[in-house]
Amino acid sequence: MMGDPNIIRFPVLGSTNDHLNDVHADVDDMTIIVAGRQTRGRGRFGREWVSDDGGLWFSVLVRHDDPEHAFLLTFAAAVSVAEAIRKAAPGLEPKIKWPNDVLIGQKKVCGILTENVIGGRGRGSGCDSIVGIGLNVNNDPPLDTSTSLSHELDRELDLTAILDSFVLVFSRYREDFRRRDYRRIIDGWKVFWGSAGKQVHISTVHGDLDGIAEDIADDGSLIIRSGGEVSSDVEKVQVLEGDLILPE
Ligand code: BTN
């Protein structure tokens, strides 16, 4: 079921996620589509993702039959990026902001957008997850709230070496996922978790929430301890999708 990574490169694509979405039924597990730049890069919640030359823009196909836990593939990708950064730039201390942003200091260096195609041609109840990763490497940081590795280090880095490190680490987590060993992924992720035990503000489709980021559940949801508004009891809330805003 698990394939060897197969990296396919394009100088320019609209979006590596869109491209993989178009071809996913005809390619193998662990096919990786890389673009030199993207003209229609997409972020979470339909946001634009600026993808000029010099960044690492790629999408990985993971074929599996465990859609309830597909969220954890995003976690696996975030840890793999953090480890690849640590290897390429030992001076930098990457942190992960739940669920999937990789930060250097308070600034975002990488975002991940996972899209799941359930069923699909000849796939029965299987799931093709398209894990799209955008890492600012030698490009200028596109926003005040973002950074790039070269901006932090004052030197350019080798994109191929970073991608190779990512693939090595991600392949191991992909195998954990296949064996349904979710704890290994979450524990790996927690090594880089920046908000453990800290006060956080989170904005979700159901409203905003303040509390202490306490733990991560087996499905990847964030467990927050917050003082209830109605009663004064301390309650625990689990959030599966939202935007986490860190205090300044
Ligand atoms: C986010 O933080 O909002 C997620 C950003 C994901 C960007 C990557 S770049 C490669 C892949 N192709 C896309 O269009 N988006 C993802």
Short mmCIF file of all heavy atoms in Angstrom, two decimals, residues 15-17 38 40-44 49 57-59 101 108 111-113 132-134, ligand 1:
data_model
loop_
_atom_site.label_atom_id
_atom_site.label_comp_id
_atom_site.label_asym_id
_atom_site.label_seq_id
_atom_site.Cartn_x
_atom_site.Cartn_y
_atom_site.Cartn_z
N SER A 15 -1.65 25.75 -8.77
CA SER A 15 -1.54 25.32 -7.37
C SER A 15 -1.18 23.83 -7.39
O SER A 15 -1.80 23.06 -8.13
CB SER A 15 -2.88 25.55 -6.67
OG SER A 15 -3.09 24.60 -5.65
N THR A 16 -0.20 23.45 -6.59
CA THR A 16 0.19 22.04 -6.56
C THR A 16 -0.97 21.18 -6.01
O THR A 16 -1.15 20.04 -6.42
CB THR A 16 1.47 21.81 -5.73
OG1 THR A 16 1.25 22.34 -4.41
CG2 THR A 16 2.68 22.47 -6.36
N ASN A 17 -1.76 21.74 -5.08
CA ASN A 17 -2.92 20.99 -4.58
C ASN A 17 -3.93 20.75 -5.72
O ASN A 17 -4.46 19.66 -5.86
CB ASN A 17 -3.62 21.75 -3.44
CG ASN A 17 -3.09 21.35 -2.07
OD1 ASN A 17 -1.91 21.08 -1.94
ND2 ASN A 17 -3.96 21.33 -1.07
N GLN A 38 3.79 29.30 -7.81
CA GLN A 38 2.37 29.05 -8.06
C GLN A 38 1.69 30.37 -8.40
O GLN A 38 1.96 31.40 -7.79
CB GLN A 38 1.69 28.47 -6.83
CG GLN A 38 2.28 27.16 -6.33
CD GLN A 38 1.52 26.61 -5.13
OE1 GLN A 38 0.92 25.54 -5.19
NE2 GLN A 38 1.56 27.33 -4.03
N ARG A 40 -1.77 30.53 -8.48
CA ARG A 40 -3.03 30.57 -7.73
C ARG A 40 -2.91 29.76 -6.45
O ARG A 40 -3.74 28.90 -6.16
CB ARG A 40 -4.19 30.00 -8.57
CG ARG A 40 -4.65 30.92 -9.70
CD ARG A 40 -5.93 30.39 -10.35
NE ARG A 40 -5.82 28.98 -10.73
CZ ARG A 40 -5.27 28.55 -11.86
NH1 ARG A 40 -4.79 29.40 -12.74
NH2 ARG A 40 -5.20 27.27 -12.12
N GLY A 41 -1.82 30.00 -5.70
CA GLY A 41 -1.59 29.27 -4.45
C GLY A 41 -2.74 29.55 -3.48
O GLY A 41 -3.19 30.69 -3.36
N ARG A 42 -3.18 28.50 -2.81
CA ARG A 42 -4.32 28.64 -1.89
C ARG A 42 -3.92 28.31 -0.46
O ARG A 42 -3.13 27.40 -0.22
CB ARG A 42 -5.47 27.71 -2.31
CG ARG A 42 -6.07 28.08 -3.64
CD ARG A 42 -7.29 27.22 -3.95
NE ARG A 42 -6.95 25.85 -4.26
CZ ARG A 42 -7.21 24.81 -3.46
NH1 ARG A 42 -7.81 25.00 -2.29
NH2 ARG A 42 -6.87 23.59 -3.82
N GLY A 43 -4.48 29.06 0.50
CA GLY A 43 -4.27 28.78 1.91
C GLY A 43 -5.55 28.26 2.54
O GLY A 43 -6.53 28.00 1.83
N ARG A 44 -5.54 28.11 3.84
CA ARG A 44 -6.75 27.66 4.54
C ARG A 44 -7.83 28.74 4.45
O ARG A 44 -7.53 29.90 4.26
CB ARG A 44 -6.44 27.39 6.02
CG ARG A 44 -5.55 26.19 6.25
CD ARG A 44 -5.08 26.17 7.69
NE ARG A 44 -6.12 25.72 8.61
CZ ARG A 44 -6.28 26.19 9.84
NH1 ARG A 44 -5.50 27.15 10.30
NH2 ARG A 44 -7.22 25.72 10.62
N TRP A 49 -2.40 32.27 -1.12
CA TRP A 49 -1.07 31.93 -0.59
C TRP A 49 -0.04 32.41 -1.60
O TRP A 49 0.07 31.86 -2.71
CB TRP A 49 -0.96 30.41 -0.36
CG TRP A 49 0.36 30.03 0.25
CD1 TRP A 49 1.46 29.59 -0.41
CD2 TRP A 49 0.72 30.09 1.64
NE1 TRP A 49 2.49 29.37 0.47
CE2 TRP A 49 2.06 29.67 1.73
CE3 TRP A 49 0.06 30.47 2.80
CZ2 TRP A 49 2.73 29.60 2.95
CZ3 TRP A 49 0.73 30.41 4.01
CH2 TRP A 49 2.05 29.98 4.08
N TRP A 57 7.08 24.91 -2.60
CA TRP A 57 5.62 24.75 -2.73
C TRP A 57 5.37 23.34 -3.25
O TRP A 57 5.75 23.04 -4.38
CB TRP A 57 5.03 25.79 -3.70
CG TRP A 57 5.68 27.15 -3.67
CD1 TRP A 57 6.29 27.78 -4.69
CD2 TRP A 57 5.79 28.05 -2.54
NE1 TRP A 57 6.78 29.00 -4.30
CE2 TRP A 57 6.48 29.19 -2.99
CE3 TRP A 57 5.38 27.99 -1.21
CZ2 TRP A 57 6.77 30.27 -2.15
CZ3 TRP A 57 5.67 29.07 -0.37
CH2 TRP A 57 6.34 30.19 -0.85
N PHE A 58 4.77 22.50 -2.44
CA PHE A 58 4.58 21.12 -2.90
C PHE A 58 3.39 20.46 -2.23
O PHE A 58 2.91 20.92 -1.19
CB PHE A 58 5.86 20.30 -2.69
CG PHE A 58 6.29 20.11 -1.25
CD1 PHE A 58 6.10 18.89 -0.62
CD2 PHE A 58 6.90 21.13 -0.54
CE1 PHE A 58 6.51 18.69 0.70
CE2 PHE A 58 7.31 20.94 0.79
CZ PHE A 58 7.12 19.72 1.40
N SER A 59 2.92 19.38 -2.87
CA SER A 59 1.78 18.62 -2.35
C SER A 59 2.11 17.14 -2.41
O SER A 59 2.69 16.66 -3.39
CB SER A 59 0.52 18.87 -3.18
OG SER A 59 0.22 20.25 -3.19
N ASP A 101 0.55 25.59 11.55
CA ASP A 101 1.49 26.63 11.11
C ASP A 101 2.84 26.39 11.77
O ASP A 101 2.90 26.09 12.96
CB ASP A 101 1.03 28.03 11.56
CG ASP A 101 -0.20 28.50 10.81
OD1 ASP A 101 -0.57 27.86 9.81
OD2 ASP A 101 -0.78 29.51 11.23
N LYS A 108 5.15 33.42 10.86
CA LYS A 108 4.83 32.17 10.15
C LYS A 108 5.81 31.94 9.01
O LYS A 108 6.01 32.81 8.16
CB LYS A 108 3.40 32.30 9.61
CG LYS A 108 2.93 31.12 8.80
CD LYS A 108 1.41 31.14 8.73
CE LYS A 108 0.87 30.22 7.67
NZ LYS A 108 -0.60 30.06 7.75
N GLY A 111 2.88 27.07 6.00
CA GLY A 111 1.47 26.73 6.19
C GLY A 111 1.16 25.43 5.47
O GLY A 111 1.85 25.07 4.50
N ILE A 112 0.14 24.72 5.93
CA ILE A 112 -0.21 23.42 5.37
C ILE A 112 -1.71 23.38 5.10
O ILE A 112 -2.51 23.77 5.96
CB ILE A 112 0.20 22.28 6.33
CG1 ILE A 112 1.71 22.35 6.57
CG2 ILE A 112 -0.18 20.91 5.76
CD1 ILE A 112 2.21 21.49 7.69
N LEU A 113 -2.06 22.92 3.92
CA LEU A 113 -3.47 22.80 3.54
C LEU A 113 -3.71 21.36 3.07
O LEU A 113 -3.22 20.96 2.02
CB LEU A 113 -3.79 23.78 2.40
CG LEU A 113 -5.19 23.70 1.80
CD1 LEU A 113 -6.23 24.16 2.82
CD2 LEU A 113 -5.28 24.56 0.54
N GLY A 132 -0.80 19.71 1.18
CA GLY A 132 -0.10 20.80 0.49
C GLY A 132 0.72 21.63 1.48
O GLY A 132 0.21 22.07 2.50
N ILE A 133 1.99 21.82 1.14
CA ILE A 133 2.90 22.48 2.07
C ILE A 133 3.54 23.70 1.40
O ILE A 133 4.06 23.59 0.28
CB ILE A 133 3.99 21.48 2.52
CG1 ILE A 133 3.31 20.39 3.36
CG2 ILE A 133 5.08 22.16 3.36
CD1 ILE A 133 3.74 19.03 3.06
N GLY A 134 3.49 24.81 2.07
CA GLY A 134 4.13 26.02 1.57
C GLY A 134 5.15 26.48 2.59
O GLY A 134 4.79 26.84 3.71
C1 BTN B 1 -2.24 28.06 5.16
O1 BTN B 1 -1.49 28.28 6.11
O2 BTN B 1 -3.24 28.78 4.96
C2 BTN B 1 -1.96 26.90 4.24
C3 BTN B 1 -1.05 27.27 3.11
C4 BTN B 1 -0.75 26.11 2.16
C5 BTN B 1 0.06 26.52 0.95
C6 BTN B 1 0.51 25.36 0.14
S1 BTN B 1 1.70 25.80 -1.08
C7 BTN B 1 1.57 24.22 -1.82
C8 BTN B 1 0.09 23.86 -1.80
N1 BTN B 1 -0.59 24.41 -2.94
C9 BTN B 1 -1.48 25.34 -2.60
O3 BTN B 1 -2.20 25.99 -3.41
N2 BTN B 1 -1.51 25.49 -1.28
C10 BTN B 1 -0.57 24.60 -0.62
#
